[in-house]
């Protein structure tokens, strides 16, 4: 009897120990953190005789070659269509080949979804083309919050509203988050995000929520969430307001460079055989005798910029996919003028502040703003990004952030920052508005209900439309779209017999079998194979570039940083040896402009200043100051005339207006910018600093009184009698 009494507590204690140990192991077990592994391909080395062996990356067709392939799909001889230069005699005949056949798929739209669809289809052995009216990521895909996340607030809604669809959305996004981080480790990374806690009783609530978020991610979780005491929270995020701060919960999501991710998707798709062309506008859809879509009329917009007439031609395809985001309905109406609109556009404004407003390695989320919305405050590219708003809007190509939305964001930021830190309107370096294409299901009885996730529909004539969704789930959206296209258009996928060596070596992705099924969860993007967190050291040691520049290049281009660095001009200085900055404030260099033109289809100054580099998004005025050198570098590469350079100047200033460039600077000439007039015109920023005071213990502009005058002693004071 006594033994039995002793045995029961012992069993309870053992069970508690096992359970506690299990929880501790689940929390602190070693994790495969994305980006921490060694590169799949080691950095280049020196061979026999001390000869350096640089990487030899596969060739990607240039834009003209891609357009030639598009023309051939219509059955016309592209050489003859482009003029006598290509002809080899009056009786020259086109050589019939697979390239003269219609494409399996034509994707309209070069954003995240469109290029994701192109990559998925190409890696399944389908012939695919993707065309974009503007540039890759020129719309919503470049104007995101820069997060790769499951959506912790969606999980809260799923629990409290008992919404299974919300739960599925979060779980899918958490899985896709891991694929995202693994396939592009140079462009994306994990980011701890802090949730400040102002009341003690909220701590268990947020702790349970973040742990549920971890649990839902399962083995694909990034890192475990944890609680910070008040002192630890202030140490991690010194800018926080101390008053009413009990502590903080920290959970992990991902962050990324959105437009560079989009461009990398496009270039990877091109490497796998897709025909990828930007600045090519769809002007009409073609149908056969039975009313089924079989192609599209397109117009090349680049010749018009050079004072020439735009070239129009037809692309033939067995299936057409509409992936145009906010412009979805405009393409649907090319198919059927009477179709009901499904896009409910919503404006999301973000502002960029200097990097000193946030730690470089910790973000923050305010889950309860003054009007109930959520706001993020995150480090990004050396600056701080804050947003977003959510309001109905009209669809325009380059929407402008309104002052009301900007001021709302600044006001909300001030609420959780220390009172000693003043967030001023003049601190805003850039501000933009992105249009989120929320969609209504046209087949639903309740037409007011918005689809929380993405939506795939097919019109009677065969236009397959993919709309909605978010950046994190682009790959899943693409997979489902290609699955539907194969079924609807009766296509046959096939294994890739000779896949490209994306890494520039004989190494092939072991996680992507390319057997004709969807393998994009394992297909590494351009630049990923040779990337590691120490790659920047190899660049410094070989090219003699600045440390900040080397880190930037490896994070933006991965192993292609070897090519970018080689394209940098020598400085003719002791150090750095190569790489001339296009802006003194940021680590963007001249080699990036050359690389963008030669290897990433950059055709305009805006392509470079906004989407190949991110200068326009980081600092609108710095982008304006860098514009002359960018135009000259691109002009040298592309052979621009003086008229074309002037046109680029005007077009880019118009674009910078949508990035928050002060109105008073929108009419500056190139000569005025080159002579330093950008900083001489009064705006929100101009009066914030003592610009012209001579050195002194007290700067003259800091005092309203004349030098030597004591404002506390008047001329009638008794001490002066």
């Amino acid at each position: 009897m006594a033994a039995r009494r002793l045995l029961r507590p012992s069993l309870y204690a053992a069970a508690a120990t096992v359970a506690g140990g299990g929880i501790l192991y689940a929390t602190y077990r070693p994790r495969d953190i994305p980006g921490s592994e060694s590169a799949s391909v080691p950095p280049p080395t020196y061979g026999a005789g001390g000869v350096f062996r640089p990487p030899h990356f596969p060739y990607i067709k240039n834009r003209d070659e891609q357009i030639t392939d598009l023309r051939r799909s219509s059955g016309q001889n592209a050489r003859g269509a482009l003029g006598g230069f290509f002809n080899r005699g009056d009786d020259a005949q086109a050589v019939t080949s697979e390239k003269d056949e219609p494409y399996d798929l034509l994707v309209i739209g070069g954003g995240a979804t469109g290029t994701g669809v192109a990559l998925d289809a190409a890696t399944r052995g389908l012939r695919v083309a993707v065309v974009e009216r503007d540039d890759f990521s020129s719309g919503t895909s470049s104007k995101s919050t820069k997060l790769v996340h499951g959506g912790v607030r969606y999980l809260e809604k799923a629990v409290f509203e008992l919404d299974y669809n919300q739960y599925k959305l979060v779980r899918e996004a958490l899985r896709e988050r891991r694929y995202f981080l693994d396939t592009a480790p140079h462009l994306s990374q994990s980011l701890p995000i802090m949730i400040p806690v102002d009341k003690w009783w909220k701590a268990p609530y947020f702790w349970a929520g973040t742990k549920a978020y971890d649990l839902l991610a399962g083995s694909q979780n990034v890192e475990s969430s944890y609680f910070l005491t008040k002192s630890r929270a202030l140490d991690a995020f010194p800018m926080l307001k101390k008053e009413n701060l009990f502590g903080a919960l920290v959970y992990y999501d991902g962050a990324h460079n959105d437009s560079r991710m989009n461009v990398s998707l496009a270039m990877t798709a091109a490497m796998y055989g897709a025909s990828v062309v930007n600045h090519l506008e769809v002007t009409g859809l073609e149908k056969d005798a039975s009313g089924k879509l079989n192609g599209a009329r397109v117009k090349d917009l680049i010749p018009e910029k050079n004072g020439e007439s735009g070239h129009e031609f037809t692309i033939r395809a067995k299936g057409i996919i509409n992936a145009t985001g906010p412009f979805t309905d405009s393409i649907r109406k090319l198919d059927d003028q009477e179709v009901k609109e499904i896009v409910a556009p919503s404006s999301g404004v973000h502002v960029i502040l200097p990097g000193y407003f946030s730690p470089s390695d910790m973000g923050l989320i305010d889950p309860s703003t003054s009007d109930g919305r959520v706001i993020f405050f995150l480090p990004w590219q050396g600056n701080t990004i804050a947003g977003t708003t959510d309001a109905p809007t009209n669809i325009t190509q380059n929407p402008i952030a309104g002052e009301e939305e900007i001021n709302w964001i600044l006001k909300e930021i001030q609420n959780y920052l220390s009172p000693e830190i003043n967030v001023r309107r003049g601190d805003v370096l850039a501000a933009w508005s992105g249009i989120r294409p929320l969609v209504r299901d046209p087949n639903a009885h309740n037409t007011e209900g918005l689809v929380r996730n993405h939506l795939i529909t097919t019109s009677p004539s065969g236009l397959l439309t993919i709309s909605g969704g978010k950046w994190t789930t682009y790959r899943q959206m693409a997979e489902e779209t290609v699955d539907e296209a194969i079924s609807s258009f009766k296509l046959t996928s096939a294994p890739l017999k000779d896949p490209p060596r994306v890494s520039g070596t004989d190494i092939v992705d072991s996680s992507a079998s390319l057997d004709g099924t969807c393998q994009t969860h394992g297909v590494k993007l351009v630049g990923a194979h040779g990337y590691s967190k120490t790659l920047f050291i190899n660049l410094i040691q070989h090219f003699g570039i600045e440390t900040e520049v080397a880190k930037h290049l490896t994070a933006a281009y991965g192993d292609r940083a070897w090519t970018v660095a080689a394209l940098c001009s020598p400085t003719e200085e002791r150090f750095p040896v190569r790489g001339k900055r296009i802006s003194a404030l940021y680590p963007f260099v001249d080699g990036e402009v050359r690389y963008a033109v030669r290897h990433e289809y950059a055709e305009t100054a805006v392509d470079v200043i906004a989407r190949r580099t991110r200068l326009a998004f980081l600092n609108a005025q710095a982008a304006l100051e860098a514009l002359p050198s960018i135009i000259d570098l691109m002009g040298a590469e592309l052979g621009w005339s003086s008229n074309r350079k002037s046109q680029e100047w005007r077009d880019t200033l118009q674009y910078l207006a949508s990035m928050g460039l002060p109105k008073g600077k929108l009419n500056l000439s190139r000569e005025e910018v080159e002579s330093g007039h950008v900083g001489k015109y009064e705006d929100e920023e101009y009066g914030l600093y003592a610009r012209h005071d001579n050195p002194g213990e007290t700067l003259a502009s800091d005092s309203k009184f004349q030098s030597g005058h004591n404002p506390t002693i008047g001329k009638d004071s008794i001490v002066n009698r």
Side-chain angles (χ1 to χ4, degrees):
M1 198 66 161
R4 190 177 297 175
R5 282 199 300 268
L6 290 173
L7 181 61
R8 184 175 296 176
S10 300
L11 290 174
Y12 289 155
T17 301
V18 170
I23 293 173
L24 287 173
Y25 177 77
T27 302
Y28 297 107
R29 71 184 185 277
R31 293 185 182 277
D32 178 19
I33 300 173
S36 61
E37 62 275 1
S38 300
S40 303
V41 176
T45 58
Y46 287 87
V51 178
F52 182 70
R53 296 179 296 191
H56 294 285
F57 298 118
Y59 175 74
I60 300 179
K61 291 181 179 180
N62 63 39
R63 185 173 184 273
D64 288 341
E65 291 171 321
Q66 297 279 29
I67 290 177
T68 298
D69 287 345
L70 293 178
R71 286 177 176 274
R72 292 180 66 173
S73 72
S74 63
Q76 62 176 310
N77 182 357
R79 293 179 179 271
L82 289 176
F85 173 80
F86 293 107
N87 288 332
R88 296 294 180 267
D90 294 336
D91 297 325
Q93 298 293 322
V95 179
T96 302
S97 70
E98 182 188 33
K99 292 182 179 179
D100 295 307
E101 297 295 322
Y103 285 92
D104 291 319
L105 293 173
L106 169 61
V107 183
I108 305 173
T113 306
T115 53
V117 169
L119 178 59
D120 189 299
T123 53
R124 296 200 209 188
L126 299 174
R127 286 195 67 225
V128 58
V130 57
V131 297
E132 164 59 45
R133 177 183 63 181
D134 195 337
D135 184 31
F136 312 118
S137 197
S138 60
T140 305
S141 297
S142 64
K143 298 175 180 178
S144 71
T145 311
K146 323 303 179 192
L147 282 176
V148 186
H149 64 133
V152 68
R153 65 187 187 276
Y154 297 137
L155 179 59
E156 183 182 37
K157 288 183 179 180
V159 172
F160 281 95
E161 297 175 10
L162 299 178
D163 189 334
Y164 182 67
N165 289 327
Q166 289 273 15
Y167 167 81
K168 284 202 307 181
L169 175 63
V170 176
R171 187 164 187 174
E172 173 188 290
L174 287 172
R175 181 189 68 243
E176 293 300 317
R177 179 186 68 179
R178 183 59 191 235
Y179 294 155
F180 202 117
L181 298 174
D182 286 342
T183 56
H186 55 304
L187 294 169
S188 57
Q189 58 282 322
S190 63
L191 176 69
I193 300 177
M194 180 180 291
I195 307 174
V197 179
D198 59 349
K199 299 286 192 297
W200 69 266
W201 53 267
K202 291 184 180 180
Y205 173 80
F206 286 123
W207 183 88
T210 55
K211 286 303 176 186
Y213 197 60
D214 295 343
L215 185 62
L216 200 57
S219 61
Q220 293 167 325
N221 195 26
V222 180
E223 291 189 58
S224 293
S225 57
Y226 56 89
F227 176 76
L228 290 175
T229 62
K230 178 179 179 177
S231 60
R232 293 283 187 180
L234 290 172
D235 182 57
F237 209 116
M239 306 81 178
L240 273 181
K241 184 191 297 183
K242 300 179 179 64
E243 292 75 17
N244 299 321
L245 180 67
F246 174 76
L249 265 297
V250 176
Y251 72 98
Y252 284 82
D253 258 326
H256 74 133
N257 188 337
D258 51 7
S259 72
R260 285 222 51 83
M261 180 75 179
N262 200 157
V263 170
S264 295
L265 282 168
M267 303 318 298
T268 308
M271 191 167 289
Y272 277 95
S275 296
V276 180
V277 182
N278 55 352
H279 300 287
L280 198 65
E281 181 179 19
V282 172
T283 59
L285 299 178
E286 301 281 328
K287 297 181 181 180
D288 61 20
S290 64
K292 293 293 185 180
L293 292 173
N294 65 355
R297 292 288 299 172
V298 297
K299 180 180 181 181
D300 188 357
L301 301 179
I302 294 302
E304 291 182 346
K305 293 180 179 293
N306 294 319
E308 306 168 7
S309 60
H311 305 304
E312 284 202 33
F313 58 94
T314 299
I315 304 171
R316 296 293 179 192
K318 299 172 186 176
I320 298 180
I321 296 175
N322 175 15
T324 51
F327 303 97
T328 292
D329 287 325
S330 63
I331 299 298
R332 293 175 71 239
K333 288 189 176 183
L334 288 179
D335 174 41
D336 179 3
Q337 282 289 333
E338 304 301 320
V339 72
K340 292 182 179 179
E341 296 182 355
I342 62 173
V343 173
S346 175
S347 169
V349 171
H350 294 82
V351 301
I352 288 287
L353 297 166
Y356 55 71
F357 279 105
S358 69
S360 62
D361 57 354
M362 177 77 74
L364 185 142
I365 179 175
D366 182 0
S368 54
T369 60
S370 58
D371 62 1
R373 286 181 285 184
V374 171
I375 194 168
F376 287 97
F377 193 65
L378 311 167
W380 184 68
Q381 300 289 303
N383 283 353
T384 301
I385 183 172
T388 179
T389 61
D390 185 9
T393 188
N394 296 319
I395 297 176
T396 55
Q397 193 160 356
N398 291 310
I400 295 177
E403 282 298 317
E404 183 178 350
E405 290 90 344
I406 293 173
N407 289 328
W408 179 83
I409 293 173
L410 298 181
K411 179 182 176 182
E412 293 300 326
I413 292 171
Q414 193 67 69
N415 288 338
Y416 51 77
L417 292 183
S418 173
E420 292 83 16
I421 300 174
N422 187 23
V423 185
R424 307 164 296 182
R425 177 62 180 86
D427 290 321
V428 176
L429 303 176
W432 69 85
S433 172
I435 300 178
R436 183 185 177 194
L438 304 174
V439 291
R440 299 184 180 92
D441 187 346
N443 300 317
H445 296 295
N446 179 13
T447 58
E448 295 302 319
L450 296 177
V451 177
R452 293 190 179 100
N453 204 343
H454 56 273
L455 179 69
I456 299 175
T457 60
T458 306
S459 73
S461 63
L463 179 64
L464 195 160
T465 296
I466 168 68
S467 51
K470 61 180 182 177
W471 239 119
T472 305
T473 58
Y474 86 89
R475 193 211 64 84
Q476 178 67 29
M477 294 164 62
E479 178 180 348
E480 293 178 19
T481 301
V482 176
D483 286 345
E484 181 65 27
I486 290 174
S487 174
S488 297
F489 305 132
K490 298 178 173 55
L491 305 176
T492 303
S493 61
L496 290 189
K497 297 178 181 178
D498 186 22
R501 299 298 187 257
V502 182
S503 67
T505 70
D506 291 332
I507 296 177
V508 182
D509 286 337
S510 59
S511 56
S513 58
L514 304 180
D515 58 0
T517 62
C518 178
Q519 293 292 317
T520 48
H521 59 276
V523 174
K524 291 184 181 296
L525 301 190
V526 166
H529 296 80
Y531 170 77
S532 72
K533 290 186 176 181
T534 59
L535 178 61
F536 75 95
I537 299 174
N538 302 106
L539 287 182
I540 296 170
Q541 292 179 332
H542 184 70
F543 293 104
I545 56 180
E546 295 177 74
T547 299
E548 184 185 12
V549 170
K551 287 182 176 180
H552 155 67
L553 293 182
T554 55
Y557 301 91
D559 57 25
R560 266 51 176 184
W562 288 102
T563 304
V564 180
L567 289 171
C568 289
S569 298
T571 64
E572 307 302 340
E573 297 176 357
R574 188 190 64 80
F575 198 87
V577 179
R578 303 188 75 86
K580 296 179 180 179
R581 294 195 183 212
I582 59 177
S583 170
L585 301 174
Y586 298 94
F588 305 118
V589 287
D590 59 329
E592 295 182 73
V593 182
R594 298 186 183 95
Y595 183 86
V597 172
R598 298 184 189 185
H599 300 285
E600 293 184 336
Y601 301 153
E603 292 290 328
T604 71
V606 173
D607 293 350
V608 169
I609 214 164
R611 294 174 285 270
R612 303 310 185 280
T613 70
R614 306 313 308 274
L615 188 53
F617 281 79
L618 290 169
N619 192 320
Q621 299 202 54
L624 177 58
E625 292 168 327
L627 186 55
S629 63
I630 290 174
I631 289 178
D632 286 345
L633 285 166
M634 295 189 72
E637 290 289 321
L638 296 168
W640 284 349
S641 65
S642 58
N643 287 338
R644 174 64 190 275
K645 289 183 178 181
S646 297
Q647 183 65 47
E648 287 298 318
W649 182 267
R650 293 190 295 271
D651 291 347
T652 307
L653 257 67
Q654 184 177 358
Y655 177 82
L656 289 176
S658 70
M659 289 289 108
L661 185 67
K663 294 180 180 179
K665 301 183 180 181
L666 294 176
N667 295 317
L668 290 178
S669 67
R670 173 171 176 158
E671 292 72 24
E672 288 174 315
V673 170
E674 288 180 316
S675 61
H677 280 67
V678 174
K680 295 179 181 178
Y681 284 79
E682 292 197 13
D683 55 22
E684 295 90 346
E685 180 191 55
Y686 185 85
L688 299 184
Y689 311 102
R691 295 183 180 275
H692 309 295
D693 295 355
N694 292 322
E697 298 290 337
T698 300
L699 298 180
S701 61
D702 288 338
S703 176
K704 304 294 184 184
F705 301 95
Q706 296 179 358
S707 178
H709 176 67
N710 187 338
T712 64
I713 302 178
K715 65 179 181 178
D716 297 327
S717 173
I718 192 171
V719 299
N720 290 327
R721 294 176 184 172

